[in-house]
Amino acid sequence: MAKFVLVSGSTSRESVNAAVLATVSHLLADLPGTHEAELLPIAELPFYETALERAGGSAAVRQAKKVVAGADVLFISTPSYNGEMPGALKNALDWLSRAGCGASPLSGKVTAVTSASPGARGALDAQPGLIGVLGRCGARVVEHEPVAVGGTGGLALEDGRFTDPELVARLRSLALAALAEFAELDAVDAVDAVDAVDAVDAVDAVDAVDAVDAVDAVDAVGAVGARVEALV
């Protein structure tokens, strides 16, 4: 099972990016395995500032870090404001990138990126900047052909999600790529864990041999001493 944490670059629950994430949440049920999704609200986060961070942030910041830390996949959909991601999304990433008392929850996190807008380009111009920031935050951005949802005014909605088959297929492909990335990372971690156990076992084996050799050496010295005493 994989847990998806969904993040909209728009703070409006009625935005087209919220509809994209609702679509992703719905299609997870049709993917291999059992998966769950949780929406991360970013509107509740205060503006980032160092003094506030040193004071422990806020309850909303701590909760956001906890949610992202527990995610297997981060799935972000953003609009474009003057060619870049919205300030609210950048602010959320600024908070999440800060380690605080532990590691940053973005470090090594498998992250899928998409965008949406009523325009024909689907806010595609916001994706490079977002991907760049995620890379600097240490996130593991999924490699996939860009998925930008344009012309949203002409797309049918059902229960707050898009139903266009072509769009659903593109989002499904991106979600599958994210799952594949997570599975690969999980497999590497499993191998590393086995290697660590093997290394410990190897050290234990060497220690055991050394202990036997030490006992043999003591026995040998004792035997030589006994023979000397007998000769004397």
mmCIF file of all heavy atoms in Angstrom, residues 17 78-80 114-125 127 147-151:
data_model
loop_
_atom_site.group_PDB
_atom_site.id
_atom_site.type_symbol
_atom_site.label_atom_id
_atom_site.label_comp_id
_atom_site.label_asym_id
_atom_site.label_seq_id
_atom_site.Cartn_x
_atom_site.Cartn_y
_atom_site.Cartn_z
ATOM 1 N N ASN A 17 -7.307 22.942 -9.942
ATOM 2 C CA ASN A 17 -6.259 22.073 -9.420
ATOM 3 C C ASN A 17 -6.790 21.168 -8.321
ATOM 4 O O ASN A 17 -6.346 20.023 -8.182
ATOM 5 C CB ASN A 17 -5.079 22.914 -8.920
ATOM 6 C CG ASN A 17 -4.261 23.470 -10.072
ATOM 7 O OD1 ASN A 17 -3.413 22.791 -10.637
ATOM 8 N ND2 ASN A 17 -4.543 24.717 -10.436
ATOM 9 N N THR A 78 -0.546 22.493 -9.606
ATOM 10 C CA THR A 78 -0.435 23.931 -9.377
ATOM 11 C C THR A 78 -0.962 24.768 -10.535
ATOM 12 O O THR A 78 -0.862 24.370 -11.695
ATOM 13 C CB THR A 78 1.041 24.318 -9.122
ATOM 14 O OG1 THR A 78 1.127 25.715 -8.796
ATOM 15 C CG2 THR A 78 1.896 24.063 -10.353
ATOM 16 N N PRO A 79 -1.503 25.941 -10.223
ATOM 17 C CA PRO A 79 -1.779 26.921 -11.277
ATOM 18 C C PRO A 79 -0.506 27.712 -11.563
ATOM 19 O O PRO A 79 0.531 27.475 -10.938
ATOM 20 C CB PRO A 79 -2.853 27.812 -10.638
ATOM 21 C CG PRO A 79 -2.548 27.763 -9.178
ATOM 22 C CD PRO A 79 -2.001 26.382 -8.915
ATOM 23 N N SER A 80 -0.573 28.620 -12.483
ATOM 24 C CA SER A 80 0.549 29.489 -12.812
ATOM 25 C C SER A 80 0.155 30.930 -12.525
ATOM 26 O O SER A 80 -0.852 31.415 -13.041
ATOM 27 C CB SER A 80 0.937 29.334 -14.281
ATOM 28 O OG SER A 80 1.880 30.318 -14.653
ATOM 29 N N THR A 114 2.075 18.118 -11.529
ATOM 30 C CA THR A 114 1.212 18.447 -12.658
ATOM 31 C C THR A 114 0.708 19.875 -12.467
ATOM 32 O O THR A 114 1.024 20.529 -11.460
ATOM 33 C CB THR A 114 0.037 17.452 -12.772
ATOM 34 O OG1 THR A 114 -0.708 17.743 -13.962
ATOM 35 C CG2 THR A 114 -0.899 17.558 -11.579
ATOM 36 N N SER A 115 -0.049 20.373 -13.434
ATOM 37 C CA SER A 115 -0.564 21.735 -13.348
ATOM 38 C C SER A 115 -1.878 21.821 -14.118
ATOM 39 O O SER A 115 -2.178 20.969 -14.952
ATOM 40 C CB SER A 115 0.453 22.736 -13.923
ATOM 41 O OG SER A 115 0.724 22.444 -15.293
ATOM 42 N N ALA A 116 -2.648 22.853 -13.807
ATOM 43 C CA ALA A 116 -3.947 23.016 -14.477
ATOM 44 C C ALA A 116 -4.376 24.473 -14.470
ATOM 45 O O ALA A 116 -4.090 25.211 -13.521
ATOM 46 C CB ALA A 116 -5.012 22.148 -13.790
ATOM 47 N N SER A 117 -5.059 24.867 -15.524
ATOM 48 C CA SER A 117 -5.622 26.216 -15.619
ATOM 49 C C SER A 117 -6.652 26.239 -16.741
ATOM 50 O O SER A 117 -6.662 25.338 -17.598
ATOM 51 C CB SER A 117 -4.523 27.242 -15.909
ATOM 52 O OG SER A 117 -4.126 27.170 -17.268
ATOM 53 N N PRO A 118 -7.514 27.246 -16.767
ATOM 54 C CA PRO A 118 -8.480 27.358 -17.863
ATOM 55 C C PRO A 118 -7.815 27.627 -19.212
ATOM 56 O O PRO A 118 -8.396 27.373 -20.261
ATOM 57 C CB PRO A 118 -9.362 28.539 -17.440
ATOM 58 C CG PRO A 118 -9.186 28.633 -15.946
ATOM 59 C CD PRO A 118 -7.763 28.236 -15.710
ATOM 60 N N GLY A 119 -6.579 28.146 -19.189
ATOM 61 C CA GLY A 119 -5.868 28.458 -20.422
ATOM 62 C C GLY A 119 -5.445 27.213 -21.181
ATOM 63 O O GLY A 119 -5.409 26.105 -20.640
ATOM 64 N N ALA A 120 -5.065 27.411 -22.420
ATOM 65 C CA ALA A 120 -4.722 26.286 -23.287
ATOM 66 C C ALA A 120 -3.468 25.547 -22.836
ATOM 67 O O ALA A 120 -3.351 24.339 -23.035
ATOM 68 C CB ALA A 120 -4.548 26.781 -24.722
ATOM 69 N N ARG A 121 -2.528 26.257 -22.213
ATOM 70 C CA ARG A 121 -1.255 25.637 -21.818
ATOM 71 C C ARG A 121 -1.349 24.907 -20.476
ATOM 72 O O ARG A 121 -0.426 24.207 -20.085
ATOM 73 C CB ARG A 121 -0.143 26.695 -21.761
ATOM 74 C CG ARG A 121 0.291 27.158 -23.145
ATOM 75 C CD ARG A 121 1.333 28.271 -23.060
ATOM 76 N NE ARG A 121 2.476 27.927 -22.229
ATOM 77 C CZ ARG A 121 3.495 27.169 -22.633
ATOM 78 N NH1 ARG A 121 3.493 26.649 -23.864
ATOM 79 N NH2 ARG A 121 4.503 26.919 -21.831
ATOM 80 N N GLY A 122 -2.442 25.073 -19.774
ATOM 81 C CA GLY A 122 -2.610 24.337 -18.525
ATOM 82 C C GLY A 122 -1.577 24.654 -17.460
ATOM 83 O O GLY A 122 -1.176 23.772 -16.704
ATOM 84 N N ALA A 123 -1.139 25.924 -17.417
ATOM 85 C CA ALA A 123 -0.158 26.373 -16.411
ATOM 86 C C ALA A 123 1.172 25.635 -16.513
ATOM 87 O O ALA A 123 1.907 25.510 -15.532
ATOM 88 C CB ALA A 123 -0.727 26.225 -14.996
ATOM 89 N N LEU A 124 1.482 25.160 -17.714
ATOM 90 C CA LEU A 124 2.719 24.412 -17.924
ATOM 91 C C LEU A 124 3.955 25.213 -17.527
ATOM 92 O O LEU A 124 4.946 24.649 -17.039
ATOM 93 C CB LEU A 124 2.824 24.001 -19.395
ATOM 94 C CG LEU A 124 4.070 23.205 -19.806
ATOM 95 C CD1 LEU A 124 4.135 21.883 -19.049
ATOM 96 C CD2 LEU A 124 4.073 22.971 -21.311
ATOM 97 N N ASP A 125 3.898 26.540 -17.705
ATOM 98 C CA ASP A 125 5.077 27.356 -17.424
ATOM 99 C C ASP A 125 5.425 27.408 -15.936
ATOM 100 O O ASP A 125 6.523 27.830 -15.568
ATOM 101 C CB ASP A 125 4.912 28.779 -17.973
ATOM 102 C CG ASP A 125 3.601 29.431 -17.572
ATOM 103 O OD1 ASP A 125 2.767 28.734 -16.960
ATOM 104 O OD2 ASP A 125 3.405 30.620 -17.865
ATOM 105 N N GLN A 127 5.616 24.688 -14.060
ATOM 106 C CA GLN A 127 6.227 23.420 -13.663
ATOM 107 C C GLN A 127 7.754 23.460 -13.532
ATOM 108 O O GLN A 127 8.293 22.920 -12.554
ATOM 109 C CB GLN A 127 5.802 22.306 -14.624
ATOM 110 C CG GLN A 127 4.333 21.930 -14.511
ATOM 111 C CD GLN A 127 4.016 20.605 -15.199
ATOM 112 O OE1 GLN A 127 4.852 19.699 -15.260
ATOM 113 N NE2 GLN A 127 2.806 20.485 -15.717
ATOM 114 N N VAL A 147 2.448 16.669 -17.566
ATOM 115 C CA VAL A 147 0.987 16.588 -17.607
ATOM 116 C C VAL A 147 0.450 17.953 -17.196
ATOM 117 O O VAL A 147 0.549 18.346 -16.026
ATOM 118 C CB VAL A 147 0.451 15.499 -16.660
ATOM 119 C CG1 VAL A 147 -1.073 15.478 -16.690
ATOM 120 C CG2 VAL A 147 1.012 14.133 -17.043
ATOM 121 N N ALA A 148 -0.065 18.689 -18.161
ATOM 122 C CA ALA A 148 -0.640 20.010 -17.918
ATOM 123 C C ALA A 148 -2.086 19.989 -18.406
ATOM 124 O O ALA A 148 -2.354 19.674 -19.564
ATOM 125 C CB ALA A 148 0.158 21.088 -18.647
ATOM 126 N N VAL A 149 -2.985 20.307 -17.509
ATOM 127 C CA VAL A 149 -4.416 20.221 -17.811
ATOM 128 C C VAL A 149 -4.919 21.591 -18.237
ATOM 129 O O VAL A 149 -5.110 22.487 -17.405
ATOM 130 C CB VAL A 149 -5.205 19.722 -16.581
ATOM 131 C CG1 VAL A 149 -6.668 19.513 -16.953
ATOM 132 C CG2 VAL A 149 -4.593 18.439 -16.038
ATOM 133 N N GLY A 150 -5.130 21.765 -19.539
ATOM 134 C CA GLY A 150 -5.596 23.038 -20.060
ATOM 135 C C GLY A 150 -7.049 22.986 -20.513
ATOM 136 O O GLY A 150 -7.654 21.918 -20.607
ATOM 137 N N GLY A 151 -7.598 24.167 -20.781
ATOM 138 C CA GLY A 151 -8.978 24.241 -21.257
ATOM 139 C C GLY A 151 -9.970 23.607 -20.307
ATOM 140 O O GLY A 151 -10.911 22.920 -20.726
#
